[in-house]
Amino acid sequence: MDLNTVCFVIFIFLFVGYLVLEGFDYGVGMLLPFLGRTDIQRQALIKTLAPVWEGNEVWLIAAGAFLFAGFPNAYATLFSGMYLALLLILASLIFRGAAFEFRDKVDNKIWRTIWDWSIFWGGLIPALLWGVALANLIKGLPIDAQSQYVGTFGDLVSLYTLTGGAVFTLLFLIHGVTYLTLKIDISFLAKLLGMGTRLCKITIGVLVLFGILTFTNTDIESKPVASLLLFFPLLATYLVSLNLYHHRFIRCFIFSTIAVVSLSLAVFWGLFPRIIVSSLDNRFSLTIYNSASNPLTLKIMSITMLIVLPLILGFEVWKYNIFRQRILLADIQLDACTSQLTHMLGQLKTHIKHAYYLADTMNSTMDALRSANGNVISRLKPRSLILVFKKLPRKFLRNKDE
Amino acid sequence: MDNTALFLARVQFGVTLLYHFWFVALTLGISILIALMETQYVRTGSPQYKTMAKYWGRLFLINYAIAIVTGLVNEFQFGMNWSEYSRFVGSIFGAPLAFEAMTAFFVESIAIGIWVFGWNKVSKRVHLLAIWLVAWSANYSSFWILSANSFMQHPVGYAFQNGRLELTDLTALITNPFLFWQYTHTVFSGMATAGFFMIAISAWYLLNKRHVSLFRRSFKMGMISALVSMLLVVGTGHFYNQYLARVQPMKFAAAEAHWDTNQSAPLLIFAIIDEEKKTNSYTIALPGWLSLLTYNSMDASIKGMKDIQAEYASAFGEGNYIPAVTFLFWSFRIMVGIGFWLLLLLAITLWYWKKEQVESSPGLLRLIMISVPLPYLAIATGWIVAEVGRQPWLVYDLLRIEKGLSQAVSTASIWTSLILYTGIYSFIAVAGLYIAYKVIITGPQD
């Protein structure tokens, strides 16, 4: 393997890592409005992602930065060409990221609904559009001899690319389901199993369509390995549904991971050594050679990555190990109750304090009245006197019949 | 590409980067302060320090969330709006971004997950390690991104080959003297912002007599860190500017509205600037002080913009090489003015603190509270001087700004993204402020 290939492999590793890790984030996000009927349920679903989503999103940042450093031409052409698609992805990710931090801070129905739907769209839009983007890379974009994208937003949309979007969305949904079977309260299981099985059936259908369209729309048939890889997601999806039926959830998650990885690898293997195919002329395609940085940068980047990657992976494993427990609905309810009880306790304390002050004031007033001479007392009404002296002191009364 | 697209792309870059950095600046300093609080908690076992760390942690996390989501936009903006620039410098400029993501962001994002959700899941020491990792990686990541910016300001370690700039020396890139001054000045200003933020919020609690002992401690911490870092900000600023006079004479002269080369140059305090005629009127100046501050000598000669323009024109061809002088001149004065005002205010606060009269001086507490936007304004004007002063260059002396713009992107697309980002950023800012307000009103909880 030459240096450019090594760098391309590292880029693929980072980008596929992003798809795998954020894949289940997006899946859970898309499932959120349908699985979470009550606020407690939604909190539980979000809590399965809360400690990990930021780390997962860094894989996208790393992949983007690595593409910039390693293959600046491809980076420049890709993101200026797919401008509006990327804009939508970024916009939805901003809302989604803010939602995780903001949602639970305010106890208001409209507020929480806004952020719930931000998490939903922040899952659906990137899932769909990255699928569309990957299908476009291999199908070919109108790129001219100066590596400039010369099409419009409409050129990105076709039956094939939309199917690509649908396939990735569905795979992420299944990935989300299998992640949740490991992470969420058991009370969700029945619903998850039903959804998962149905999703697998639909996905198998769409995968077949995508496979056929890939053979008619791209030159993947010239690459036997890539063609073979295209069948893996089918098999993996079938195995997910089979293992769901037998309640073997760890295997389910492994197979849904394999499905996402193998489909992405099929695309990248089909692309290799190109990064973006030009639909105008194959000579204009951006490859790992004509779009690469100079050898020194590639060397520095790949050596650093090979040192840093194992550390990052170790760190990731440690984190997932810390947060391995299932999120229990009871815990969320307990948290909600605890905070409510703390609040009530605080209020109660204040009330008791006030009551104490009041009693104290009344006592001193009574003492003052008791010790005062008859002048004050005699002007008081009988019922006030009862309050002060507990019984009616006859000596102060001017009129005994009153 | 026409001028509208160029203008819009520049506005978008300025707005998105500045907005991002406003939130980053606070996280740089406050993460260290929180780590210090938690260290105290682990060392002494006093639960008050834990409550403090958790309370400031909540405000930190709101900032952090906004910083991270807006950072994503910046990362892809180079490819979206400035793709020709990306092609030209990708080999050098992309490397620091990749280093930043791989060696800092991974650590930071994982550690912050453990810090926020791991209070009862990991041991005290591991939890303390998590917040120190967050503090370290936040400040370390800014090193890489500033090394990228320093390259644009003062290119080093490159060769012009194959029609683009290629990296020849990574060590030169990260030992860029420009980076040294820019990094120290930026990081200390972040710490000063965080310290000032902390005393302003604490002042509100002290004024309202709520959680007094907790916020007395926070106030003291914020005051000391703000005072020390403000002194360092002013100190590094002075040497940074002396350095600037040598490597970016045009930017330096523009920020001082210094048109004509002369010995014993005056330091302008006020001036009405006529950029057409290249003169100043109604000036108030300290004679010889610009020379004194820049070259430590009253008689040193300082090059004016007219001469530098002529030099550039003969070296790079005809064209205007003078940036927006009025804008830079006043931005620079606002930044410096705020710097000295904050220093004065902090010194007065320290004096009152020594006399133990801070809590009985509502006037001082209110003054601190209303001054809290000032560090942010200083940060904004500081970056304006750095970035607008770089014009018309994108990479100093190597690439003019209009050459860096994307060719495949239409003006309509840039309009769309500018409007969309403005809308989203405003919404997020309002929501973030509302939550911060809620957190402050609710006060610390165990």
Side-chain angles (χ1 to χ4, degrees):
Chain A
M1 275 205 289
D2 57 12
L3 206 52
N4 297 52
T5 313
V6 171
C7 276
F8 191 51
V9 169
I10 293 172
F11 166 71
I12 293 170
F13 187 86
L14 290 170
F15 191 72
V16 175
Y18 157 70
L19 292 179
V20 167
L21 292 170
E22 281 272 84
F24 61 71
D25 290 357
Y26 296 156
V28 174
M30 287 186 272
L31 293 167
L32 180 67
F34 308 104
L35 276 176
R37 289 290 167 211
T38 65
D39 190 56
I40 297 285
Q41 284 179 335
R42 291 182 183 201
Q43 278 188 37
L45 287 164
I46 291 171
K47 217 176 168 194
T48 62
L49 306 179
V52 297
W53 74 270
E54 267 174 279
N56 297 343
E57 198 164 278
V58 171
W59 286 78
L60 171 63
I61 300 177
F66 197 84
L67 187 68
F68 193 174
F71 307 99
N73 261 342
Y75 170 86
T77 306
L78 190 62
F79 295 138
S80 60
M82 295 190 180
Y83 194 91
L84 291 176
L86 195 69
L87 180 65
L88 281 174
I89 291 177
L90 292 176
S92 63
L93 288 181
I94 294 176
F95 270 108
R96 188 187 76 118
F100 282 115
E101 179 60 31
F102 291 1
R103 183 192 183 277
D104 289 347
K105 295 282 191 296
V106 180
D107 192 2
N108 172 297
K109 209 173 168 208
I110 299 170
W111 175 269
R112 290 194 170 179
T113 310
I114 292 175
W115 299 115
D116 284 341
W117 285 101
S118 302
I119 294 177
F120 171 81
W121 288 107
L124 180 59
I125 293 175
L128 189 71
L129 291 181
W130 281 123
V132 170
L134 282 175
N136 266 308
L137 289 188
I138 189 163
K139 175 175 173 272
L141 292 169
I143 288 169
D144 66 10
Q146 279 77 44
S147 306
Q148 296 293 347
Y149 179 79
V150 289
T152 60
F153 184 64
D155 293 333
L156 299 175
V157 183
S158 67
L159 176 66
Y160 173 61
T161 56
L162 285 178
T163 316
V167 158
F168 274 93
T169 311
L170 285 163
L171 284 180
F172 288 164
L173 276 166
I174 293 175
H175 203 34
V177 168
T178 60
Y179 177 74
L180 284 176
T181 56
L182 293 171
K183 291 289 295 181
I184 195 84
D185 200 273
I186 311 281
S187 61
F188 284 90
L189 268 188
K191 219 171 172 183
L192 281 172
L193 291 183
M195 270 188 176
T197 318
R198 246 174 298 142
L199 280 169
C200 285
K201 278 182 193 153
I202 301 169
T203 310
I204 288 175
V206 180
L207 270 169
V208 170
L209 178 66
F210 181 73
I212 295 167
L213 287 174
T214 307
F215 279 106
T216 56
N217 276 285
T218 69
D219 55 2
I220 202 164
E221 69 275 3
S222 62
K223 305 242 173 74
V225 180
S227 312
L228 192 67
L229 271 171
L230 217 46
F231 289 97
F232 272 62
L234 269 173
L235 186 65
T237 310
Y238 171 70
L239 287 171
V240 169
S241 70
L242 199 68
N243 283 297
L244 272 178
Y245 182 75
H246 293 292
H247 289 220
R248 288 186 292 230
F249 300 129
I250 294 178
R251 286 191 196 179
C252 283
F253 185 70
I254 292 172
F255 285 122
S256 65
T257 307
I258 290 177
V260 174
V261 172
S262 55
L263 188 66
S264 333
L265 284 187
V267 173
F268 283 114
W269 204 294
L271 278 171
F272 184 82
R274 300 161 299 179
I275 302 177
I276 312 168
V277 175
S278 168
S279 57
L280 301 181
D281 188 328
N282 207 13
R283 282 173 305 162
F284 302 158
S285 295
L286 290 166
T287 69
I288 61 171
Y289 301 104
N290 68 14
S291 70
S293 280
N294 57 324
L296 179 67
T297 305
L298 295 182
K299 202 163 134 190
I300 292 172
M301 297 310 299
S302 45
I303 290 173
T304 317
M305 264 330 271
L306 294 177
I307 297 168
V308 173
L309 254 184
L311 296 174
I312 292 171
L313 289 176
F315 214 36
E316 289 274 3
V317 169
W318 182 52
K319 175 186 72 173
Y320 278 94
N321 190 40
I322 290 174
F323 298 107
R324 66 184 175 278
Q325 288 108 331
R326 278 182 191 277
I327 305 296
L328 302 180
L329 281 180
D331 283 347
I332 307 260
Q333 266 159 342
L334 197 66
D335 280 350
C337 288
T338 315
S339 70
Q340 248 177 3
L341 279 176
T342 321
H343 181 66
M344 279 162 70
L345 193 68
Q347 278 187 331
L348 199 62
K349 272 183 188 162
T350 326
H351 286 321
I352 291 172
K353 208 156 71 183
H354 286 171
Y356 177 76
Y357 288 153
L358 202 62
D360 203 40
T361 318
M362 276 184 72
N363 273 334
S364 0
T365 316
M366 282 178 200
D367 286 348
L369 285 175
R370 278 196 205 100
S371 62
N373 60 34
N375 286 342
V376 185
I377 303 294
S378 59
R379 287 194 201 120
L380 289 173
K381 295 241 160 58
R383 54 174 185 277
S384 314
L385 287 170
I386 295 173
L387 194 70
V388 177
F389 294 101
K390 304 287 192 305
K391 61 180 198 292
L392 206 58
R394 290 189 171 268
K395 58 172 177 172
F396 291 125
L397 289 181
R398 274 169 292 180
N399 189 349
K400 284 174 187 175
D401 302 327
E402 214 174 336
Chain B
M1 271 290 138
D2 53 297
N3 284 330
T4 323
L6 181 64
F7 177 72
L8 293 174
R10 283 180 61 190
V11 168
Q12 185 174 125
F13 196 83
V15 170
T16 50
L17 267 281
L18 188 57
Y19 185 96
H20 171 68
F21 189 72
W22 268 338
F23 293 95
V24 171
L26 186 76
T27 65
L28 291 179
I30 210 164
S31 56
I32 296 177
L33 294 172
I34 293 169
L36 287 171
M37 288 171 196
E38 199 173 334
T39 310
Q40 281 294 313
Y41 165 62
V42 173
R43 272 182 49 198
T44 64
S46 150
Q48 193 173 43
Y49 282 111
K50 186 179 174 184
T51 315
M52 259 165 89
K54 275 193 160 181
Y55 173 76
W56 292 109
R58 282 217 293 283
L59 290 172
F60 162 61
L61 286 172
I62 297 168
N63 272 272
Y64 182 79
I66 300 180
I68 194 169
V69 292
T70 54
L72 202 61
V73 171
N74 301 343
E75 157 120 11
F76 290 102
Q77 193 168 173
F78 297 110
M80 290 169 76
N81 287 344
W82 303 96
S83 59
E84 296 315 303
Y85 165 75
S86 304
R87 281 183 226 279
F88 188 68
V89 296
S91 148
I92 302 165
F93 193 85
L97 295 189
F99 277 115
E100 185 188 24
M102 292 178 323
T103 59
F105 287 164
F106 272 113
V107 176
E108 189 171 10
S109 61
I110 292 170
I112 204 147
I114 291 170
W115 190 74
V116 178
F117 296 96
W119 283 99
N120 304 316
K121 289 193 194 305
V122 293
S123 73
K124 269 187 190 177
R125 281 172 188 283
V126 172
H127 198 262
L128 178 63
L129 177 70
I131 188 68
W132 275 112
L133 281 176
V134 171
W136 169 77
S137 48
N139 286 280
Y140 168 72
S141 72
S142 56
F143 172 81
W144 285 110
I145 191 64
L146 290 176
S147 76
N149 183 264
S150 293
F151 176 79
M152 296 165 80
Q153 305 279 1
H154 181 57
V156 287
Y158 68 91
F160 187 76
Q161 282 160 357
N162 307 319
R164 63 179 182 181
L165 301 182
E166 297 189 343
L167 183 69
T168 56
D169 189 354
L170 183 70
T171 322
L173 193 66
I174 58 177
T175 53
N176 190 343
F178 200 100
L179 174 61
F180 177 76
W181 294 116
Q182 193 178 40
Y183 179 71
T184 47
H185 195 59
T186 309
V187 167
F188 291 136
S189 75
M191 285 196 227
T193 307
F196 204 81
F197 179 82
M198 200 175 252
I199 58 170
I201 305 264
S202 304
W204 184 81
Y205 283 97
L206 293 179
L207 202 61
N208 288 293
K209 310 256 181 277
R210 287 178 58 185
H211 306 277
V212 172
S213 90
L214 193 151
F215 283 103
R216 206 177 278 149
R217 275 181 182 171
S218 302
F219 192 92
K220 190 178 173 191
M221 238 178 138
M223 181 180 65
I224 294 169
S225 85
L227 191 59
V228 172
S229 20
M230 265 325 288
L231 285 169
L232 288 165
V233 168
V234 173
T236 52
H238 171 70
F239 293 111
Y240 186 7
N241 215 28
Q242 287 197 336
Y243 174 72
L244 217 53
R246 272 173 279 138
V247 293
Q248 293 185 323
M250 182 60 106
K251 181 197 279 183
F252 174 81
E256 302 292 350
H258 185 62
W259 294 103
D260 298 296
T261 305
N262 54 12
Q263 290 199 320
S264 182
L267 180 68
L268 295 176
I269 300 199
F270 179 89
I272 302 285
I273 298 159
D274 189 336
E275 292 186 40
E276 294 272 301
K277 288 182 191 153
K278 301 191 168 135
T279 52
N280 305 325
S281 43
Y282 302 103
T283 54
I284 302 172
L286 299 173
W289 271 70
L290 187 60
S291 297
L292 179 70
L293 284 174
T294 315
Y295 294 108
N296 308 323
S297 149
M298 282 275 196
D299 330 302
S301 152
I302 292 182
K303 251 187 212 165
M305 278 182 279
K306 287 179 189 166
D307 284 350
I308 306 169
Q309 162 72 24
E311 279 174 26
Y312 271 122
S314 64
F316 300 106
E318 286 304 310
N320 182 23
Y321 296 92
I322 299 178
V325 180
T326 317
F327 192 35
L328 288 171
F329 178 80
W330 286 112
S331 294
F332 190 72
R333 263 132 204 85
I334 290 170
M335 177 185 75
V336 174
I338 289 173
F340 280 108
W341 161 246
L342 291 180
L343 206 52
L344 178 71
L345 186 59
L346 287 164
I348 294 170
T349 312
L350 183 69
W351 189 47
Y352 269 71
W353 183 267
K354 286 278 174 207
K355 293 198 301 177
E356 297 188 350
Q357 282 179 355
V358 167
E359 284 163 62
S360 51
S361 317
L364 179 67
L365 293 176
R366 288 211 181 85
L367 199 57
I368 293 171
M369 277 161 59
I370 58 166
S371 296
V372 80
L374 293 180
Y376 290 96
L377 184 60
I379 284 171
T381 46
W383 275 110
I384 285 169
V385 173
E387 299 296 282
V388 177
R390 197 187 64 230
Q391 308 302 329
W393 299 107
L394 194 46
V395 181
Y396 222 75
D397 293 353
L398 292 170
L399 184 72
R400 285 183 65 109
I401 183 105
E402 61 272 13
K403 298 267 172 59
L405 199 65
S406 292
Q407 289 178 10
V409 178
S410 67
T411 312
S413 294
I414 304 181
W415 262 121
T416 313
S417 58
L418 182 59
I419 291 168
L420 194 64
Y421 286 144
T422 312
I424 294 175
Y425 279 26
S426 316
F427 182 79
I428 298 284
V430 171
L433 283 174
Y434 175 63
I435 294 177
Y437 166 79
K438 279 255 173 193
V439 168
I440 293 169
I441 291 290
T442 313
Q445 292 161 332
D446 305 318

